[in-house]
Every structure is written in structure tokens, then in C-alpha cells.
Amino acid sequence: MTKAPKSAGAIGGPQIGRREALLTGLGTGVVGAGLGVAVPQAALAFDGADGRGIVPADGAVSQTATLQQALNEAAASSTPLSLPAGTYKTGTLTLQAGTHVLGVPGRTILKSDGPPILAIEDADNVRLSGLVLDGGGVALGDGGALMTVSGATALDVSACRFLNSGGGGMNLRKASGRIAQCTFGNIAREALFSEDAAGLEIMNNHIHDCGDNGILVWRSEKGEDGTLVSGNRIERIAAKSGGSGQNGNGVNVFRAGSVLVTQNRISNCAFSAIRSNAGSNCQMVGNSCSRLGEVALYAEFGFEGALIANNIVDTAATGISVTNFNEGGRLAVVQGNIVRNLFFRKTGEARGSGIAVEADTTVTGNVVEGAPAYGIIVGWGEYMRDVTVTGNVVRKSRIGIGVATASGAGAALITDNLIDDAQDGAIRAMKGPTPTGPDLALESAESFRNLAVYANVAR
């Protein structure tokens, strides 16, 4: 049998393939073990478990071109690209459909040499795991982020870290998939921004030390969104760009319908733990929230449908607010929450209440303790319609339950509540901020034709 001839240059050692040649373009020369040829230090290709990989240059030189070509080849061959521990200085890398990149968690670092570090556009089935994206604190322009995504489907980003961004952490538009078990820290603006999602899960991430917001779930126009935000730990969110509530939130929902925000731990936010603006059918369920500068759980402006249930709020200017009936905000259930340790805040709109609601709402089975204003306040002026307040416990407030009785205010049913240690009355009719008439927990409410008040206990 005739033997195949050896390729030129292969005598006396193994051949160097096209990928190996590709990945030897950076660094300073050393001798490759067993190759008999000079190869650059810190850029030597190796065969890992998946047959791919690059040795880093420890941030000394930019590896953008080398990394980009390796990513393109990996995507074309449907093979994962494995990056070992170390620092890779890089400009923007564009990820094609099917790209799968694996790093060593916490130790494979992509250091920004020009934002964003990673970009995806109209690509499906991109998967990233174990990478650190480090922006080095360099200022980014409007909308800039360490990773930008547009039109991605079945995106899967897990166990990655987004750190030291001079702008945002991750910006997504029209994306579906999962962002899970990632860390976002020291972010100048928002950690994670999603607009017009098409089936997105944001789960079990740690978000901390952000300049403006934690997680934003927005839509360009009001409509169904369905993003799931669950199991995240969000803490130390400032409002460095100012405003009256658009910044300083752990989770902010804007115009996005049917968003579920559940089982999150949110603390130390300048404004709200969860703030839904014009987000219909939003659910805030089973969250633990503490040390909030304004309203902890907020459903506001033109929404229809909000479920706020089984949450704990400890230390806030107001615990729960379902408001803006004048802007179409209505239809809610506030049930089974524990709200405690409220404080008075007079910056902007006066705060200091446990639960505040306005229209088409039931407030039931909640416990409110320590409200310097109202334990529960129902309506404001003429903005009140069809509210029931039943089976709640209110302790240590100035007024236990206040209810609007101005001309034009709708009906309210207040029954079977226990109010203890209310300094200025257990249940009071309100005209604006002023209580009027007797304590309705002790005397008849017949003179107020919009109210039915009975079977309450005041101590």
C-alpha cells in the first residue's frame, strides 16, 4: 500500500492545523513544547475537552481579531469555544447564531477595549457561561452597555459577571431566553434593561451597586410582555440621574403587561423595590423588601390589573401604593402582605403610610405596623371607587384606616379589621388630608353615604 506523503514542514513533529495557526498571532515568542516551532507566548492554542480554546494574553494586548475569528469558526462548526482562565483585552465581539462560549467562572475575563464587549443581533441559540465582562469603569454613551442584544431568540446567559460598567450592564431588545445566576456589580446606570421582550426569564441573579436601576422591563408601546423576574438578589440601587421615581428602583416595569415579579430579595433602593408604571396584569408576589426610600411596591398610572400578595416590606416611606385612578390606574388585589417600620418623608408627595389604594381594589388579610401617617388609606379626594378593606390588622399608626368621603368619591366597604393603638382614630373619614367626623370604628358611618363600616375592632 502506498503511504500518503507527509506535508511540507511536518517532518519530525506533529502538524499545526489552521486553527492552531490562527490562535498564535499575539504575544511574545517562546518555543512550543514538542512542536519544534516558535509560537507566541500567551496565545497558544490547545485541545481542551471540546477541542477548542485560547490561552489569554493577560490583558497586555488586544485580542479582538483573534477572538472574533475563533468565535466565527466555533459557530460555523456548531462546537463550543472554551476560554481558559485569564484576562482577554478585546473590543466589540459579534456573536453569530449558534455561538456557545464557555469560561472558567470568575476567572475568564473579557476586558473592555471599546464598548460593548459582546454584541448579538438577529441571532438565535447563543449560549454564554462562566465569563466575566469587565468595563474598567470607562464612561459609555447613551444606551451603552457591556453587552447589547437585539432580536435574539433562545438566548442563554448563565454564571457570568458584568462588572465596572460606565453605562449599563446588559441591554436587550426583542429578546427571548434566559439570564440566570449572573452577577451585575458596580454599574453606572441600570444592570439589565429589556425592551419589547418575546419570552424572557431573568432568574437567580445578584445585582448590586447600580447608579440608577436594577432590572428594567419596558415596552416601546403598551402591550403583553410576560417577562418572568424571579429569585434575584438586588441591593444598593441609587438614583444618581435624579428624577421622581424613574430611577432608584430594584425592578421597574414600564408599559409591559403580564410581568411576574416573584421571590426576589430587594433592599437599599433609593426609591422602590418594585415599581410598575402602566404595566397591566403585573404580579408582585412573595418578595422580601427592606430599606426603601419611597414606596416599596408601587402600581401606578394607566394600568388595569395588579396582584400584590404575600410580600414582606420592612422600612419604607410607604409600603404599598396602588394609585393614579385619574390616569386609568385601577383593578387590584392587595393580600397577605406584612408591612412594617414606615417612616415619614415629605420630599415631593408626603409619605408615611402602610398601604394606599384608590379604585376597584380589595385589601385583605394584611398586617401593617408602625405607620406615622395611615395604616391603610383608601382613595384621595374624589379619586376612589369600589374598594373593600377586610380582615386586616393595623397596629401603631396615627390613623388606622382613612377613607375618602369627598363629593364624587365612590363606595368603600370596611369590615372585620382589627386596629390597635391608632393615635388619631381607628377609622376616619377624610376630606383630602383632613379627618372629619367621629371615629367610625366606634360610631355609625350612616352620615357618609358612600361608606359601609361595621364589625371592626378598635383598641
Side-chain angles (χ1 to χ4, degrees):
M1 180 180 295
T2 304
K3 295 183 179 179
K6 295 182 179 180
S7 300
I11 298 174
Q15 299 182 41
I16 301 176
R18 186 165 64 94
R19 169 166 290 277
E20 284 75 4
L22 165 67
L23 301 179
T24 58
L26 296 172
T28 58
V30 297
V31 176
L35 294 180
V37 294
V39 296
Q41 185 179 18
L44 175 66
F46 74 100
D47 289 327
D50 56 18
R52 297 181 183 275
I54 306 172
V55 174
D58 295 325
V61 293
S62 177
Q63 295 180 271
T64 308
T66 300
L67 287 167
Q68 185 64 68
Q69 190 164 351
L71 288 164
N72 294 345
E73 288 193 5
S77 62
S78 300
T79 306
L81 176 64
S82 177
L83 296 178
T87 299
Y88 303 81
K89 187 176 181 181
T90 182
T92 300
L93 300 170
T94 302
L95 307 184
Q96 300 176 3
T99 300
H100 183 182
V101 185
L102 300 170
V104 179
R107 298 184 61 197
T108 299
I109 302 169
L110 301 180
K111 186 82 171 180
S112 177
D113 190 29
I117 297 174
L118 299 179
I120 302 171
E121 185 171 357
D122 298 326
D124 62 352
N125 295 306
V126 173
R127 183 176 182 183
L128 307 174
S129 178
L131 303 176
V132 177
L133 277 64
D134 188 341
V138 177
L140 306 179
D142 291 343
L146 299 179
M147 180 173 174
T148 62
V149 179
S150 178
T153 58
L155 176 67
D156 190 331
V157 181
S158 64
C160 291
R161 300 182 187 180
F162 298 79
L163 306 175
N164 307 318
S165 174
M170 180 188 298
N171 287 356
L172 305 103
R173 287 177 172 80
K174 298 182 179 179
S176 69
R178 181 180 72 115
I179 313 299
Q181 298 177 322
C182 294
T183 296
F184 297 79
N186 299 315
I187 307 295
R189 292 199 303 267
E190 65 282 342
L192 198 156
F193 171 75
S194 169
E195 185 177 51
D196 298 331
L200 186 63
E201 298 178 0
I202 303 171
M203 306 173 65
N204 303 322
N205 302 287
H206 183 199
I207 295 170
H208 65 88
D209 299 291
C210 297
D212 283 338
N213 287 288
I215 298 171
L216 303 181
V217 181
W218 288 17
R219 294 197 74 81
S220 54
E221 297 180 356
K222 284 183 68 174
E224 189 86 2
D225 188 275
T227 293
L228 307 180
V229 181
S230 65
N232 301 284
R233 182 181 296 273
I234 304 172
E235 53 193 340
R236 298 187 298 278
I237 308 299
K240 292 184 178 178
S241 295
S244 58
Q246 57 268 54
N247 297 306
N249 307 297
V251 178
N252 177 270
V253 177
F254 179 51
R255 295 192 292 226
S258 300
V259 175
L260 176 59
V261 186
T262 181
Q263 301 292 327
N264 300 284
R265 170 68 178 129
I266 306 174
S267 63
N268 297 96
C269 298
F271 278 77
S272 297
I274 304 168
R275 192 180 195 103
S276 176
N277 182 324
S280 294
N281 299 327
C282 181
Q283 297 187 52
M284 309 177 197
V285 178
N287 301 283
S288 176
C289 313
S290 60
R291 298 180 296 280
L292 294 318
E294 202 210 36
V295 178
L297 304 173
Y298 210 159
E300 62 176 345
F301 292 103
F303 70 92
E304 292 188 356
L307 174 62
I308 303 176
N310 302 333
N311 303 283
I312 294 177
V313 174
D314 188 340
T315 310
T318 291
I320 297 169
S321 182
V322 181
T323 189
N324 296 120
F325 183 35
N326 58 318
E327 299 284 348
R330 65 178 205 90
L331 204 66
V333 172
V334 180
Q335 177 178 319
N337 302 282
I338 296 175
V339 180
R340 61 195 301 259
N341 296 327
L342 291 314
F343 58 85
F344 188 74
R345 171 175 166 169
K346 202 170 181 179
T347 304
E349 185 178 344
R351 303 292 185 188
S353 299
I355 298 173
V357 300
E358 288 185 0
D360 310 338
T361 296
T362 180
V363 181
T364 183
N366 303 281
V367 178
V368 179
E369 181 178 80
Y374 309 92
I376 300 173
I377 178 69
V378 181
W380 191 261
E382 64 180 0
Y383 299 115
M384 192 267 281
R385 182 179 75 186
D386 298 344
V387 176
T388 67
V389 181
T390 61
N392 302 282
V393 174
V394 179
R395 302 186 69 251
K396 298 182 179 179
S397 61
R398 185 175 72 85
I399 293 176
I401 300 174
V403 55
T405 56
S407 176
L413 170 65
I414 302 173
T415 182
D416 296 303
N417 302 284
L418 190 155
I419 302 103
D420 184 19
D421 194 13
Q423 300 168 15
D424 198 10
I427 303 174
R428 301 296 301 272
M430 305 297 299
K431 288 189 175 179
T434 305
T436 182
D439 187 336
L440 301 181
L442 305 175
E443 299 188 32
S444 173
E446 289 184 1
S447 59
F448 301 100
R449 302 188 64 179
N450 67 322
L451 303 183
V453 182
Y454 59 88
N456 299 284
V457 176
R459 299 176 55 191

